[in-house]
Amino acid sequence: MNPTLYQLNICLRLHNLSQELNHPATLNDIPDRELDRWAKLGFDWIYALGIWETGTLGREVSRTNPDWVREYKELLPDLTESDICGSCFAIKAYQLHPSFGDPSALKEFGDRLHQRGLKLMLDFVPNHTAPDHSWIQEHPDFYIQGSPEDRQREPQNYTEIPHQGIFAHGRDPYFTGWPDTLQLNYGHPAVLTAMTDELLSIAQVCDGVRCDMAMLILPDIFHRTWGIIAHSFWPSAIQTVKQQHPTFTFMAEVYWGLEWTLQQQGFDYTYDKRLYDRLHSQQAHPVREHFSASLDYQERSVRFLENHDEPRAAGIFPLGSHQAAALLTYLCPGLRFFHHGQLQGWTQKVSIHLCRSAKQVSNPALEHFYEQLLQSLSHPVLREGNWQLLDCSPAWEYNGTWANFIAFGWHNDRHEQVLVVVNYAPYPGQCYVHIPWDWQPVSYALQDLISTAYYERQGEELSSQGLYLDIAAWKGHVFGISAIAG
């Protein structure tokens, strides 16, 4: 329960490793000490972003699209053409990118992770493929095709493939098409079979998939985008894969309030963008409201403070509020998602079209914080205990700062207890936290797992009044609670 995941940008990591080694690096060159460190930090999953083969046509689009090139140059002033490797979501084939090693390197990488108790997650992109996918030649009917009139009317959404015809770019209903992709047609039953087969193939080499924009192929969304009656894909595909691989894990990138829908269709975990957005608003009330959702839903939510799509947390959350938001993100139930560079406090987002980034400067304060946070997450009760949202009340009359507090309680049958409390506000606050546990008439020690703070309180006081707290702006505690013997 409540696993911890680290997203590794494979293209970027291998580029940097190539610079260190003075020769092109492959998966086999990622040193064992790096894998050992991931295991020591307490991660359960390594999500290897961008491992599949991409094609020359998609890369050419990435290198010539003027808007994208302008973005690259803002990120990388000394940009060269070789820095633009193409989007890892314009997939030509679900096989290891030739630049990352021979076909056996992926299995060997997975085996090395498994030896350390780590699982491997890879990408699955259900909505579209690269424009030079083999299906363009073999099964052009797998794609949504258009007419010359469509292309003339919507040049941003259609393209011509020489000798094949006019095809639609992959897109969602709110934006223009991704010009380095072609849209699959889920109104064609053979597409569902072919994509299920792709999933079965992927399941041979990893333990789970992160499904890109998973809601786009829901029948109602697909119909809204394309006007085509689509067949339902996820329930049968997930069931088929799990019949052969019962522990295989499905994680959905999903927005628009469709998280519960995809959980009901079989996904083990779904992105929780709403929590991220509410934390970014830096208002405690909507964050607390978010945690009132059913526990079943929350335990299957993916909690993140950044990922490859979002800005760097260290760039948009000021120091202080960053740590407070991280405590709330990672100490609630669900899958805890950390991004490449987040633990170092990197501030520059790296485009998924690039294989090189500008030199990033680490933030010692954030490095120390994340080291403590990850260490606290190894506590058994935070991994498999029972969680509940706790009530707070005013410390005294007319003191409204209690409303800025968010508190969680974790406990298990072994009488292990952890209290998480955060003052999510830019000014100090006071409150009582009410913890409805079975307090005995003894003294209890409250030892902060992320600092040196230590307090002792009486069980009678905790039972009758609650725990009084006076916390500075954007500060929090993660108290391990234990009875004091004697």
Side-chain angles (χ1 to χ4, degrees), residues 120-153:
L120 176 62
M121 182 171 286
L122 301 176
D123 285 304
F124 176 64
V125 182
N127 187 64
H128 48 261
T129 74
D132 42 7
H133 193 288
S134 63
W135 289 347
I136 295 297
Q137 304 296 326
E138 299 167 1
H139 301 286
D141 56 321
F142 281 11
Y143 296 89
I144 291 181
Q145 301 185 40
S147 65
E149 292 74 25
D150 290 326
R151 191 181 180 211
Q152 184 175 15
R153 184 180 63 256

PDB file of all heavy atoms in Angstrom, residues 120-153:
ATOM      1  N   LEU A 120       9.578  -1.909 -12.208  1.00  0.00           N
ATOM      2  CA  LEU A 120       9.792  -1.055 -13.373  1.00  0.00           C
ATOM      3  C   LEU A 120       8.466  -0.680 -14.009  1.00  0.00           C
ATOM      4  O   LEU A 120       7.649  -1.542 -14.329  1.00  0.00           O
ATOM      5  CB  LEU A 120      10.663  -1.781 -14.408  1.00  0.00           C
ATOM      6  CG  LEU A 120      10.915  -1.053 -15.733  1.00  0.00           C
ATOM      7  CD1 LEU A 120      11.662   0.266 -15.513  1.00  0.00           C
ATOM      8  CD2 LEU A 120      11.692  -1.956 -16.698  1.00  0.00           C
ATOM      9  N   MET A 121       8.245   0.638 -14.189  1.00  0.00           N
ATOM     10  CA  MET A 121       7.072   1.136 -14.887  1.00  0.00           C
ATOM     11  C   MET A 121       7.514   1.807 -16.184  1.00  0.00           C
ATOM     12  O   MET A 121       8.527   2.525 -16.207  1.00  0.00           O
ATOM     13  CB  MET A 121       6.297   2.142 -14.027  1.00  0.00           C
ATOM     14  CG  MET A 121       5.031   2.675 -14.687  1.00  0.00           C
ATOM     15  SD  MET A 121       3.991   3.647 -13.556  1.00  0.00           S
ATOM     16  CE  MET A 121       3.295   2.361 -12.526  1.00  0.00           C
ATOM     17  N   LEU A 122       6.760   1.566 -17.273  1.00  0.00           N
ATOM     18  CA  LEU A 122       7.064   2.145 -18.579  1.00  0.00           C
ATOM     19  C   LEU A 122       5.816   2.829 -19.133  1.00  0.00           C
ATOM     20  O   LEU A 122       4.724   2.694 -18.591  1.00  0.00           O
ATOM     21  CB  LEU A 122       7.547   1.054 -19.546  1.00  0.00           C
ATOM     22  CG  LEU A 122       8.794   0.275 -19.104  1.00  0.00           C
ATOM     23  CD1 LEU A 122       9.114  -0.832 -20.105  1.00  0.00           C
ATOM     24  CD2 LEU A 122       9.997   1.198 -18.926  1.00  0.00           C
ATOM     25  N   ASP A 123       6.007   3.550 -20.221  1.00  0.00           N
ATOM     26  CA  ASP A 123       4.907   4.295 -20.833  1.00  0.00           C
ATOM     27  C   ASP A 123       4.069   3.425 -21.761  1.00  0.00           C
ATOM     28  O   ASP A 123       4.582   2.516 -22.427  1.00  0.00           O
ATOM     29  CB  ASP A 123       5.451   5.467 -21.656  1.00  0.00           C
ATOM     30  CG  ASP A 123       5.928   6.611 -20.781  1.00  0.00           C
ATOM     31  OD1 ASP A 123       5.127   7.107 -19.973  1.00  0.00           O
ATOM     32  OD2 ASP A 123       7.105   7.003 -20.903  1.00  0.00           O
ATOM     33  N   PHE A 124       2.778   3.743 -21.813  1.00  0.00           N
ATOM     34  CA  PHE A 124       1.881   3.234 -22.848  1.00  0.00           C
ATOM     35  C   PHE A 124       1.068   4.429 -23.333  1.00  0.00           C
ATOM     36  O   PHE A 124       0.453   5.135 -22.530  1.00  0.00           O
ATOM     37  CB  PHE A 124       0.963   2.148 -22.292  1.00  0.00           C
ATOM     38  CG  PHE A 124      -0.049   1.637 -23.278  1.00  0.00           C
ATOM     39  CD1 PHE A 124       0.357   0.972 -24.425  1.00  0.00           C
ATOM     40  CD2 PHE A 124      -1.408   1.814 -23.066  1.00  0.00           C
ATOM     41  CE1 PHE A 124      -0.576   0.491 -25.346  1.00  0.00           C
ATOM     42  CE2 PHE A 124      -2.344   1.347 -23.968  1.00  0.00           C
ATOM     43  CZ  PHE A 124      -1.928   0.680 -25.119  1.00  0.00           C
ATOM     44  N   VAL A 125       1.089   4.658 -24.645  1.00  0.00           N
ATOM     45  CA  VAL A 125       0.397   5.807 -25.237  1.00  0.00           C
ATOM     46  C   VAL A 125      -0.758   5.269 -26.074  1.00  0.00           C
ATOM     47  O   VAL A 125      -0.566   4.827 -27.206  1.00  0.00           O
ATOM     48  CB  VAL A 125       1.350   6.650 -26.097  1.00  0.00           C
ATOM     49  CG1 VAL A 125       0.622   7.866 -26.664  1.00  0.00           C
ATOM     50  CG2 VAL A 125       2.558   7.096 -25.276  1.00  0.00           C
ATOM     51  N   PRO A 126      -1.990   5.282 -25.546  1.00  0.00           N
ATOM     52  CA  PRO A 126      -3.103   4.631 -26.240  1.00  0.00           C
ATOM     53  C   PRO A 126      -3.704   5.444 -27.371  1.00  0.00           C
ATOM     54  O   PRO A 126      -4.304   4.875 -28.286  1.00  0.00           O
ATOM     55  CB  PRO A 126      -4.131   4.448 -25.118  1.00  0.00           C
ATOM     56  CG  PRO A 126      -3.857   5.585 -24.179  1.00  0.00           C
ATOM     57  CD  PRO A 126      -2.365   5.779 -24.212  1.00  0.00           C
ATOM     58  N   ASN A 127      -3.560   6.754 -27.337  1.00  0.00           N
ATOM     59  CA  ASN A 127      -4.324   7.617 -28.237  1.00  0.00           C
ATOM     60  C   ASN A 127      -3.740   7.726 -29.635  1.00  0.00           C
ATOM     61  O   ASN A 127      -4.478   7.896 -30.608  1.00  0.00           O
ATOM     62  CB  ASN A 127      -4.430   9.023 -27.630  1.00  0.00           C
ATOM     63  CG  ASN A 127      -5.349   9.935 -28.408  1.00  0.00           C
ATOM     64  OD1 ASN A 127      -6.542   9.683 -28.491  1.00  0.00           O
ATOM     65  ND2 ASN A 127      -4.795  11.002 -28.984  1.00  0.00           N
ATOM     66  N   HIS A 128      -2.422   7.634 -29.773  1.00  0.00           N
ATOM     67  CA  HIS A 128      -1.792   7.935 -31.055  1.00  0.00           C
ATOM     68  C   HIS A 128      -0.442   7.231 -31.181  1.00  0.00           C
ATOM     69  O   HIS A 128       0.045   6.635 -30.214  1.00  0.00           O
ATOM     70  CB  HIS A 128      -1.593   9.451 -31.211  1.00  0.00           C
ATOM     71  CG  HIS A 128      -0.965  10.093 -30.008  1.00  0.00           C
ATOM     72  ND1 HIS A 128      -1.693  10.750 -29.044  1.00  0.00           N
ATOM     73  CD2 HIS A 128       0.325  10.162 -29.602  1.00  0.00           C
ATOM     74  CE1 HIS A 128      -0.889  11.209 -28.101  1.00  0.00           C
ATOM     75  NE2 HIS A 128       0.351  10.852 -28.415  1.00  0.00           N
ATOM     76  N   THR A 129       0.133   7.307 -32.374  1.00  0.00           N
ATOM     77  CA  THR A 129       1.461   6.754 -32.623  1.00  0.00           C
ATOM     78  C   THR A 129       2.307   7.806 -33.339  1.00  0.00           C
ATOM     79  O   THR A 129       1.812   8.870 -33.731  1.00  0.00           O
ATOM     80  CB  THR A 129       1.409   5.495 -33.507  1.00  0.00           C
ATOM     81  OG1 THR A 129       1.124   5.881 -34.872  1.00  0.00           O
ATOM     82  CG2 THR A 129       0.358   4.503 -33.039  1.00  0.00           C
ATOM     83  N   ALA A 130       3.573   7.475 -33.528  1.00  0.00           N
ATOM     84  CA  ALA A 130       4.437   8.288 -34.379  1.00  0.00           C
ATOM     85  C   ALA A 130       3.957   8.184 -35.825  1.00  0.00           C
ATOM     86  O   ALA A 130       3.326   7.192 -36.212  1.00  0.00           O
ATOM     87  CB  ALA A 130       5.882   7.817 -34.269  1.00  0.00           C
ATOM     88  N   PRO A 131       4.270   9.168 -36.659  1.00  0.00           N
ATOM     89  CA  PRO A 131       3.816   9.109 -38.056  1.00  0.00           C
ATOM     90  C   PRO A 131       4.529   8.056 -38.901  1.00  0.00           C
ATOM     91  O   PRO A 131       4.074   7.760 -40.003  1.00  0.00           O
ATOM     92  CB  PRO A 131       4.101  10.527 -38.585  1.00  0.00           C
ATOM     93  CG  PRO A 131       5.112  11.098 -37.664  1.00  0.00           C
ATOM     94  CD  PRO A 131       4.891  10.467 -36.331  1.00  0.00           C
ATOM     95  N   ASP A 132       5.633   7.491 -38.394  1.00  0.00           N
ATOM     96  CA  ASP A 132       6.304   6.429 -39.151  1.00  0.00           C
ATOM     97  C   ASP A 132       6.177   5.071 -38.458  1.00  0.00           C
ATOM     98  O   ASP A 132       7.018   4.187 -38.631  1.00  0.00           O
ATOM     99  CB  ASP A 132       7.774   6.767 -39.411  1.00  0.00           C
ATOM    100  CG  ASP A 132       8.481   7.376 -38.221  1.00  0.00           C
ATOM    101  OD1 ASP A 132       7.885   7.424 -37.130  1.00  0.00           O
ATOM    102  OD2 ASP A 132       9.633   7.816 -38.383  1.00  0.00           O
ATOM    103  N   HIS A 133       5.108   4.901 -37.699  1.00  0.00           N
ATOM    104  CA  HIS A 133       4.780   3.584 -37.154  1.00  0.00           C
ATOM    105  C   HIS A 133       4.480   2.633 -38.309  1.00  0.00           C
ATOM    106  O   HIS A 133       3.955   3.039 -39.350  1.00  0.00           O
ATOM    107  CB  HIS A 133       3.555   3.716 -36.241  1.00  0.00           C
ATOM    108  CG  HIS A 133       3.296   2.523 -35.375  1.00  0.00           C
ATOM    109  ND1 HIS A 133       2.814   1.329 -35.870  1.00  0.00           N
ATOM    110  CD2 HIS A 133       3.426   2.343 -34.035  1.00  0.00           C
ATOM    111  CE1 HIS A 133       2.662   0.469 -34.886  1.00  0.00           C
ATOM    112  NE2 HIS A 133       3.021   1.052 -33.755  1.00  0.00           N
ATOM    113  N   SER A 134       4.800   1.365 -38.122  1.00  0.00           N
ATOM    114  CA  SER A 134       4.615   0.383 -39.210  1.00  0.00           C
ATOM    115  C   SER A 134       3.156   0.247 -39.619  1.00  0.00           C
ATOM    116  O   SER A 134       2.850  -0.145 -40.760  1.00  0.00           O
ATOM    117  CB  SER A 134       5.162  -0.984 -38.784  1.00  0.00           C
ATOM    118  OG  SER A 134       4.443  -1.491 -37.672  1.00  0.00           O
ATOM    119  N   TRP A 135       2.216   0.566 -38.713  1.00  0.00           N
ATOM    120  CA  TRP A 135       0.804   0.431 -39.063  1.00  0.00           C
ATOM    121  C   TRP A 135       0.383   1.394 -40.178  1.00  0.00           C
ATOM    122  O   TRP A 135      -0.620   1.152 -40.852  1.00  0.00           O
ATOM    123  CB  TRP A 135      -0.064   0.674 -37.837  1.00  0.00           C
ATOM    124  CG  TRP A 135       0.013  -0.436 -36.817  1.00  0.00           C
ATOM    125  CD1 TRP A 135       0.546  -1.680 -36.995  1.00  0.00           C
ATOM    126  CD2 TRP A 135      -0.474  -0.401 -35.473  1.00  0.00           C
ATOM    127  NE1 TRP A 135       0.436  -2.420 -35.844  1.00  0.00           N
ATOM    128  CE2 TRP A 135      -0.190  -1.671 -34.890  1.00  0.00           C
ATOM    129  CE3 TRP A 135      -1.117   0.557 -34.705  1.00  0.00           C
ATOM    130  CZ2 TRP A 135      -0.531  -1.977 -33.569  1.00  0.00           C
ATOM    131  CZ3 TRP A 135      -1.468   0.260 -33.386  1.00  0.00           C
ATOM    132  CH2 TRP A 135      -1.174  -1.001 -32.828  1.00  0.00           C
ATOM    133  N   ILE A 136       1.111   2.467 -40.365  1.00  0.00           N
ATOM    134  CA  ILE A 136       0.767   3.398 -41.445  1.00  0.00           C
ATOM    135  C   ILE A 136       0.811   2.681 -42.791  1.00  0.00           C
ATOM    136  O   ILE A 136      -0.045   2.900 -43.668  1.00  0.00           O
ATOM    137  CB  ILE A 136       1.730   4.600 -41.450  1.00  0.00           C
ATOM    138  CG1 ILE A 136       1.559   5.410 -40.171  1.00  0.00           C
ATOM    139  CG2 ILE A 136       1.496   5.484 -42.672  1.00  0.00           C
ATOM    140  CD1 ILE A 136       0.190   6.025 -40.013  1.00  0.00           C
ATOM    141  N   GLN A 137       1.779   1.813 -42.949  1.00  0.00           N
ATOM    142  CA  GLN A 137       1.897   1.047 -44.188  1.00  0.00           C
ATOM    143  C   GLN A 137       1.024  -0.203 -44.165  1.00  0.00           C
ATOM    144  O   GLN A 137       0.391  -0.551 -45.167  1.00  0.00           O
ATOM    145  CB  GLN A 137       3.371   0.630 -44.396  1.00  0.00           C
ATOM    146  CG  GLN A 137       4.355   1.781 -44.400  1.00  0.00           C
ATOM    147  CD  GLN A 137       4.139   2.736 -45.556  1.00  0.00           C
ATOM    148  OE1 GLN A 137       3.753   2.312 -46.657  1.00  0.00           O
ATOM    149  NE2 GLN A 137       4.373   4.023 -45.322  1.00  0.00           N
ATOM    150  N   GLU A 138       0.994  -0.879 -43.016  1.00  0.00           N
ATOM    151  CA  GLU A 138       0.337  -2.176 -42.939  1.00  0.00           C
ATOM    152  C   GLU A 138      -1.172  -2.080 -42.681  1.00  0.00           C
ATOM    153  O   GLU A 138      -1.947  -2.900 -43.165  1.00  0.00           O
ATOM    154  CB  GLU A 138       0.990  -3.003 -41.826  1.00  0.00           C
ATOM    155  CG  GLU A 138       2.475  -3.276 -42.065  1.00  0.00           C
ATOM    156  CD  GLU A 138       3.162  -3.808 -40.813  1.00  0.00           C
ATOM    157  OE1 GLU A 138       2.462  -3.974 -39.783  1.00  0.00           O
ATOM    158  OE2 GLU A 138       4.381  -4.035 -40.864  1.00  0.00           O
ATOM    159  N   HIS A 139      -1.579  -1.095 -41.870  1.00  0.00           N
ATOM    160  CA  HIS A 139      -2.986  -0.969 -41.473  1.00  0.00           C
ATOM    161  C   HIS A 139      -3.393   0.503 -41.437  1.00  0.00           C
ATOM    162  O   HIS A 139      -3.751   1.028 -40.364  1.00  0.00           O
ATOM    163  CB  HIS A 139      -3.219  -1.596 -40.092  1.00  0.00           C
ATOM    164  CG  HIS A 139      -2.860  -3.041 -39.997  1.00  0.00           C
ATOM    165  ND1 HIS A 139      -3.628  -4.031 -40.561  1.00  0.00           N
ATOM    166  CD2 HIS A 139      -1.803  -3.659 -39.403  1.00  0.00           C
ATOM    167  CE1 HIS A 139      -3.073  -5.207 -40.319  1.00  0.00           C
ATOM    168  NE2 HIS A 139      -1.961  -5.012 -39.619  1.00  0.00           N
ATOM    169  N   PRO A 140      -3.380   1.188 -42.557  1.00  0.00           N
ATOM    170  CA  PRO A 140      -3.758   2.611 -42.529  1.00  0.00           C
ATOM    171  C   PRO A 140      -5.177   2.833 -42.014  1.00  0.00           C
ATOM    172  O   PRO A 140      -5.494   3.922 -41.521  1.00  0.00           O
ATOM    173  CB  PRO A 140      -3.619   3.038 -43.990  1.00  0.00           C
ATOM    174  CG  PRO A 140      -3.663   1.764 -44.791  1.00  0.00           C
ATOM    175  CD  PRO A 140      -3.046   0.718 -43.916  1.00  0.00           C
ATOM    176  N   ASP A 141      -6.016   1.787 -42.094  1.00  0.00           N
ATOM    177  CA  ASP A 141      -7.389   1.913 -41.582  1.00  0.00           C
ATOM    178  C   ASP A 141      -7.437   1.968 -40.052  1.00  0.00           C
ATOM    179  O   ASP A 141      -8.490   2.236 -39.472  1.00  0.00           O
ATOM    180  CB  ASP A 141      -8.249   0.744 -42.080  1.00  0.00           C
ATOM    181  CG  ASP A 141      -7.657  -0.611 -41.720  1.00  0.00           C
ATOM    182  OD1 ASP A 141      -6.410  -0.771 -41.798  1.00  0.00           O
ATOM    183  OD2 ASP A 141      -8.424  -1.522 -41.371  1.00  0.00           O
ATOM    184  N   PHE A 142      -6.310   1.726 -39.374  1.00  0.00           N
ATOM    185  CA  PHE A 142      -6.253   1.857 -37.920  1.00  0.00           C
ATOM    186  C   PHE A 142      -6.320   3.325 -37.488  1.00  0.00           C
ATOM    187  O   PHE A 142      -6.499   3.612 -36.308  1.00  0.00           O
ATOM    188  CB  PHE A 142      -4.965   1.252 -37.371  1.00  0.00           C
ATOM    189  CG  PHE A 142      -4.970  -0.259 -37.255  1.00  0.00           C
ATOM    190  CD1 PHE A 142      -5.973  -1.026 -37.829  1.00  0.00           C
ATOM    191  CD2 PHE A 142      -3.959  -0.916 -36.559  1.00  0.00           C
ATOM    192  CE1 PHE A 142      -5.976  -2.414 -37.718  1.00  0.00           C
ATOM    193  CE2 PHE A 142      -3.944  -2.297 -36.443  1.00  0.00           C
ATOM    194  CZ  PHE A 142      -4.953  -3.056 -37.018  1.00  0.00           C
ATOM    195  N   TYR A 143      -6.143   4.240 -38.430  1.00  0.00           N
ATOM    196  CA  TYR A 143      -6.034   5.659 -38.107  1.00  0.00           C
ATOM    197  C   TYR A 143      -7.245   6.432 -38.618  1.00  0.00           C
ATOM    198  O   TYR A 143      -7.927   6.008 -39.553  1.00  0.00           O
ATOM    199  CB  TYR A 143      -4.762   6.246 -38.732  1.00  0.00           C
ATOM    200  CG  TYR A 143      -3.503   5.647 -38.177  1.00  0.00           C
ATOM    201  CD1 TYR A 143      -2.945   4.498 -38.749  1.00  0.00           C
ATOM    202  CD2 TYR A 143      -2.863   6.211 -37.074  1.00  0.00           C
ATOM    203  CE1 TYR A 143      -1.788   3.933 -38.236  1.00  0.00           C
ATOM    204  CE2 TYR A 143      -1.705   5.653 -36.552  1.00  0.00           C
ATOM    205  CZ  TYR A 143      -1.172   4.511 -37.136  1.00  0.00           C
ATOM    206  OH  TYR A 143      -0.027   3.949 -36.618  1.00  0.00           O
ATOM    207  N   ILE A 144      -7.483   7.584 -37.997  1.00  0.00           N
ATOM    208  CA  ILE A 144      -8.515   8.485 -38.497  1.00  0.00           C
ATOM    209  C   ILE A 144      -7.945   9.228 -39.701  1.00  0.00           C
ATOM    210  O   ILE A 144      -6.904   9.892 -39.603  1.00  0.00           O
ATOM    211  CB  ILE A 144      -8.962   9.469 -37.407  1.00  0.00           C
ATOM    212  CG1 ILE A 144      -9.720   8.700 -36.321  1.00  0.00           C
ATOM    213  CG2 ILE A 144      -9.829  10.579 -37.990  1.00  0.00           C
ATOM    214  CD1 ILE A 144     -10.241   9.555 -35.194  1.00  0.00           C
ATOM    215  N   GLN A 145      -8.620   9.076 -40.825  1.00  0.00           N
ATOM    216  CA  GLN A 145      -8.153   9.705 -42.054  1.00  0.00           C
ATOM    217  C   GLN A 145      -9.062  10.884 -42.414  1.00  0.00           C
ATOM    218  O   GLN A 145     -10.187  10.997 -41.926  1.00  0.00           O
ATOM    219  CB  GLN A 145      -8.109   8.676 -43.178  1.00  0.00           C
ATOM    220  CG  GLN A 145      -7.175   7.499 -42.850  1.00  0.00           C
ATOM    221  CD  GLN A 145      -7.028   6.523 -43.993  1.00  0.00           C
ATOM    222  OE1 GLN A 145      -6.933   6.936 -45.160  1.00  0.00           O
ATOM    223  NE2 GLN A 145      -7.000   5.236 -43.686  1.00  0.00           N
ATOM    224  N   GLY A 146      -8.541  11.747 -43.236  1.00  0.00           N
ATOM    225  CA  GLY A 146      -9.282  12.934 -43.620  1.00  0.00           C
ATOM    226  C   GLY A 146      -9.275  13.139 -45.124  1.00  0.00           C
ATOM    227  O   GLY A 146      -8.748  12.319 -45.887  1.00  0.00           O
ATOM    228  N   SER A 147      -9.828  14.253 -45.533  1.00  0.00           N
ATOM    229  CA  SER A 147      -9.929  14.606 -46.946  1.00  0.00           C
ATOM    230  C   SER A 147      -9.074  15.853 -47.208  1.00  0.00           C
ATOM    231  O   SER A 147      -8.664  16.546 -46.273  1.00  0.00           O
ATOM    232  CB  SER A 147     -11.386  14.912 -47.293  1.00  0.00           C
ATOM    233  OG  SER A 147     -11.817  16.070 -46.586  1.00  0.00           O
ATOM    234  N   PRO A 148      -8.823  16.154 -48.477  1.00  0.00           N
ATOM    235  CA  PRO A 148      -8.122  17.412 -48.777  1.00  0.00           C
ATOM    236  C   PRO A 148      -8.844  18.620 -48.191  1.00  0.00           C
ATOM    237  O   PRO A 148      -8.207  19.591 -47.768  1.00  0.00           O
ATOM    238  CB  PRO A 148      -8.113  17.439 -50.307  1.00  0.00           C
ATOM    239  CG  PRO A 148      -8.159  15.988 -50.711  1.00  0.00           C
ATOM    240  CD  PRO A 148      -9.034  15.328 -49.685  1.00  0.00           C
ATOM    241  N   GLU A 149     -10.167  18.545 -48.140  1.00  0.00           N
ATOM    242  CA  GLU A 149     -10.936  19.653 -47.565  1.00  0.00           C
ATOM    243  C   GLU A 149     -10.675  19.782 -46.058  1.00  0.00           C
ATOM    244  O   GLU A 149     -10.568  20.902 -45.540  1.00  0.00           O
ATOM    245  CB  GLU A 149     -12.429  19.454 -47.813  1.00  0.00           C
ATOM    246  CG  GLU A 149     -12.857  19.559 -49.276  1.00  0.00           C
ATOM    247  CD  GLU A 149     -12.456  18.349 -50.106  1.00  0.00           C
ATOM    248  OE1 GLU A 149     -12.278  17.244 -49.508  1.00  0.00           O
ATOM    249  OE2 GLU A 149     -12.294  18.508 -51.334  1.00  0.00           O
ATOM    250  N   ASP A 150     -10.566  18.629 -45.370  1.00  0.00           N
ATOM    251  CA  ASP A 150     -10.242  18.659 -43.934  1.00  0.00           C
ATOM    252  C   ASP A 150      -8.888  19.325 -43.709  1.00  0.00           C
ATOM    253  O   ASP A 150      -8.735  20.169 -42.820  1.00  0.00           O
ATOM    254  CB  ASP A 150     -10.194  17.241 -43.359  1.00  0.00           C
ATOM    255  CG  ASP A 150     -11.553  16.582 -43.289  1.00  0.00           C
ATOM    256  OD1 ASP A 150     -12.545  17.293 -43.060  1.00  0.00           O
ATOM    257  OD2 ASP A 150     -11.620  15.351 -43.479  1.00  0.00           O
ATOM    258  N   ARG A 151      -7.937  18.956 -44.536  1.00  0.00           N
ATOM    259  CA  ARG A 151      -6.593  19.509 -44.353  1.00  0.00           C
ATOM    260  C   ARG A 151      -6.558  21.001 -44.665  1.00  0.00           C
ATOM    261  O   ARG A 151      -5.874  21.770 -43.992  1.00  0.00           O
ATOM    262  CB  ARG A 151      -5.593  18.761 -45.233  1.00  0.00           C
ATOM    263  CG  ARG A 151      -4.154  19.126 -44.866  1.00  0.00           C
ATOM    264  CD  ARG A 151      -3.148  18.427 -45.724  1.00  0.00           C
ATOM    265  NE  ARG A 151      -1.801  18.819 -45.308  1.00  0.00           N
ATOM    266  CZ  ARG A 151      -0.778  18.885 -46.113  1.00  0.00           C
ATOM    267  NH1 ARG A 151      -0.919  18.590 -47.406  1.00  0.00           N
ATOM    268  NH2 ARG A 151       0.407  19.239 -45.664  1.00  0.00           N
ATOM    269  N   GLN A 152      -7.299  21.389 -45.664  1.00  0.00           N
ATOM    270  CA  GLN A 152      -7.333  22.814 -46.010  1.00  0.00           C
ATOM    271  C   GLN A 152      -8.032  23.621 -44.917  1.00  0.00           C
ATOM    272  O   GLN A 152      -7.595  24.733 -44.579  1.00  0.00           O
ATOM    273  CB  GLN A 152      -8.047  23.015 -47.346  1.00  0.00           C
ATOM    274  CG  GLN A 152      -8.038  24.452 -47.834  1.00  0.00           C
ATOM    275  CD  GLN A 152      -8.651  24.585 -49.223  1.00  0.00           C
ATOM    276  OE1 GLN A 152      -9.323  23.673 -49.707  1.00  0.00           O
ATOM    277  NE2 GLN A 152      -8.411  25.702 -49.874  1.00  0.00           N
ATOM    278  N   ARG A 153      -9.095  23.049 -44.352  1.00  0.00           N
ATOM    279  CA  ARG A 153      -9.862  23.753 -43.322  1.00  0.00           C
ATOM    280  C   ARG A 153      -9.133  23.758 -41.972  1.00  0.00           C
ATOM    281  O   ARG A 153      -9.173  24.733 -41.231  1.00  0.00           O
ATOM    282  CB  ARG A 153     -11.229  23.087 -43.171  1.00  0.00           C
ATOM    283  CG  ARG A 153     -12.162  23.797 -42.195  1.00  0.00           C
ATOM    284  CD  ARG A 153     -13.504  23.078 -42.086  1.00  0.00           C
ATOM    285  NE  ARG A 153     -13.387  21.726 -41.562  1.00  0.00           N
ATOM    286  CZ  ARG A 153     -13.469  20.617 -42.292  1.00  0.00           C
ATOM    287  NH1 ARG A 153     -13.699  20.686 -43.611  1.00  0.00           N
ATOM    288  NH2 ARG A 153     -13.335  19.425 -41.743  1.00  0.00           N
TER     289      ARG A 153
END
